[in-house]
Amino acid sequence: MNAKDTRIAVIGLGYVGLPLAVEFGKRYLTTGFDINRSRIAALISGHDSTLEVDTAALESAAHLSYTTDVDKLKTCNIYIVTIPTPIDIHKRPDLSPLE
Protein backbone atom coordinates (compact mmCIF):
# COMPACT_ATOMS: atom_id res chain seq x y z
CA MET A 1 0.00 0.00 0.00
CA ASN A 2 1.37 3.42 -0.87
CA ALA A 3 0.78 6.62 1.05
CA LYS A 4 -1.90 7.83 -1.40
CA ASP A 5 -4.03 4.77 -0.59
CA THR A 6 -3.65 5.08 3.18
CA ARG A 7 -6.88 5.86 5.02
CA ILE A 8 -6.48 5.79 8.79
CA ALA A 9 -9.19 5.53 11.43
CA VAL A 10 -8.40 6.55 14.99
CA ILE A 11 -11.13 5.21 17.23
CA GLY A 12 -11.39 7.07 20.51
CA LEU A 13 -10.35 10.73 20.64
CA GLY A 14 -9.11 11.07 24.18
CA TYR A 15 -5.68 12.09 25.44
CA VAL A 16 -3.96 9.47 23.26
CA GLY A 17 -6.26 9.25 20.25
CA LEU A 18 -6.71 12.93 19.44
CA PRO A 19 -3.01 13.88 19.28
CA LEU A 20 -2.38 10.73 17.24
CA ALA A 21 -5.20 11.55 14.83
CA VAL A 22 -3.94 15.11 14.44
CA GLU A 23 -0.43 13.97 13.58
CA PHE A 24 -1.65 11.39 11.06
CA GLY A 25 -4.10 13.95 9.66
CA LYS A 26 -1.25 16.24 8.71
CA ARG A 27 -0.13 13.72 6.09
CA TYR A 28 -2.78 11.03 5.54
CA LEU A 29 -6.54 10.89 5.09
CA THR A 30 -7.60 10.27 8.68
CA THR A 31 -10.98 9.80 10.30
CA GLY A 32 -11.24 10.50 14.01
CA PHE A 33 -14.12 8.56 15.57
CA ASP A 34 -15.69 8.96 18.99
CA ILE A 35 -19.10 8.11 20.43
CA ASN A 36 -19.35 11.44 22.25
CA ARG A 37 -21.32 13.73 19.91
CA SER A 38 -20.52 16.91 21.82
CA ARG A 39 -16.81 16.07 21.69
CA ILE A 40 -16.99 15.62 17.92
CA ALA A 41 -18.97 18.87 17.51
CA ALA A 42 -16.33 20.76 19.51
CA LEU A 43 -13.48 19.28 17.49
CA ILE A 44 -15.22 20.12 14.23
CA SER A 45 -15.49 23.71 15.46
CA GLY A 46 -11.76 23.69 16.22
CA HIS A 47 -11.85 23.37 20.00
CA ASP A 48 -10.41 20.63 22.21
CA SER A 49 -11.95 20.94 25.67
CA THR A 50 -9.33 18.59 27.16
CA LEU A 51 -6.55 20.95 26.01
CA GLU A 52 -4.51 18.04 24.65
CA VAL A 53 -4.27 19.77 21.27
CA ASP A 54 -4.44 23.50 20.62
CA THR A 55 -6.48 25.13 17.87
CA ALA A 56 -3.47 25.70 15.63
CA ALA A 57 -2.57 22.00 15.75
CA LEU A 58 -6.18 21.01 14.98
CA GLU A 59 -6.15 23.35 11.99
CA SER A 60 -2.82 21.96 10.75
CA ALA A 61 -4.35 18.50 10.28
CA ALA A 62 -5.78 19.25 6.84
CA HIS A 63 -6.60 15.59 6.10
CA LEU A 64 -8.42 14.90 9.38
CA SER A 65 -12.19 14.60 9.68
CA TYR A 66 -14.29 13.75 12.74
CA THR A 67 -17.35 11.56 13.09
CA THR A 68 -19.64 9.61 15.39
CA ASP A 69 -20.92 7.59 12.41
CA VAL A 70 -19.38 4.13 12.43
CA ASP A 71 -20.22 3.71 8.73
CA LYS A 72 -17.63 6.40 7.92
CA LEU A 73 -14.94 3.97 9.07
CA LYS A 74 -15.66 1.51 6.27
CA THR A 75 -13.42 3.30 3.78
CA CYS A 76 -10.41 3.13 6.10
CA ASN A 77 -7.74 0.47 5.74
CA ILE A 78 -5.77 1.08 8.94
CA TYR A 79 -7.54 1.09 12.31
CA ILE A 80 -6.03 2.34 15.55
CA VAL A 81 -8.12 1.80 18.66
CA THR A 82 -7.37 4.07 21.62
CA ILE A 83 -9.64 3.25 24.52
CA PRO A 84 -9.72 4.30 28.18
CA THR A 85 -7.47 2.26 30.41
CA PRO A 86 -8.05 3.56 33.93
CA ILE A 87 -5.78 2.20 36.63
CA ASP A 88 -6.78 0.59 39.90
CA ILE A 89 -5.36 1.37 43.35
CA HIS A 90 -2.37 -0.86 42.55
CA LYS A 91 -1.70 1.10 39.33
CA ARG A 92 -2.69 -1.84 37.12
CA PRO A 93 -4.61 -0.85 33.99
CA ASP A 94 -8.21 -1.92 33.70
CA LEU A 95 -8.26 -3.59 30.26
CA SER A 96 -11.93 -4.58 30.41
CA PRO A 97 -12.90 -2.02 27.70
CA LEU A 98 -10.44 -3.77 25.39
CA GLU A 99 -11.55 -7.27 26.34
Side-chain angles (χ1 to χ4, degrees), residues 20-42:
L20 192 60
V22 167
E23 288 305 311
F24 281 125
K26 291 177 181 177
R27 183 164 179 189
Y28 303 102
L29 289 175
T30 303
T31 301
F33 174 86
D34 203 285
I35 60 172
N36 184 332
R37 290 185 186 279
S38 62
R39 173 102 170 117
I40 294 299

Side-chain angles (χ1 to χ4, degrees), residues 34-74:
D34 203 285
I35 60 172
N36 184 332
R37 290 185 186 279
S38 62
R39 173 102 170 117
I40 294 299
L43 292 171
I44 289 171
S45 71
H47 178 70
D48 173 24
S49 61
T50 67
L51 305 179
E52 291 296 327
V53 179
D54 63 29
T55 301
L58 290 174
E59 291 173 355
S60 70
H63 306 289
L64 175 59
S65 62
Y66 305 100
T67 189
T68 59
D69 183 355
V70 74
D71 286 335
K72 302 275 181 165
L73 302 177
K74 291 179 180 178

Side-chain angles (χ1 to χ4, degrees), residues 7-27:
R7 299 186 189 289
I8 300 169
V10 178
I11 302 166
L13 297 176
Y15 73 95
V16 172
L18 180 60
L20 192 60
V22 167
E23 288 305 311
F24 281 125
K26 291 177 181 177
R27 183 164 179 189

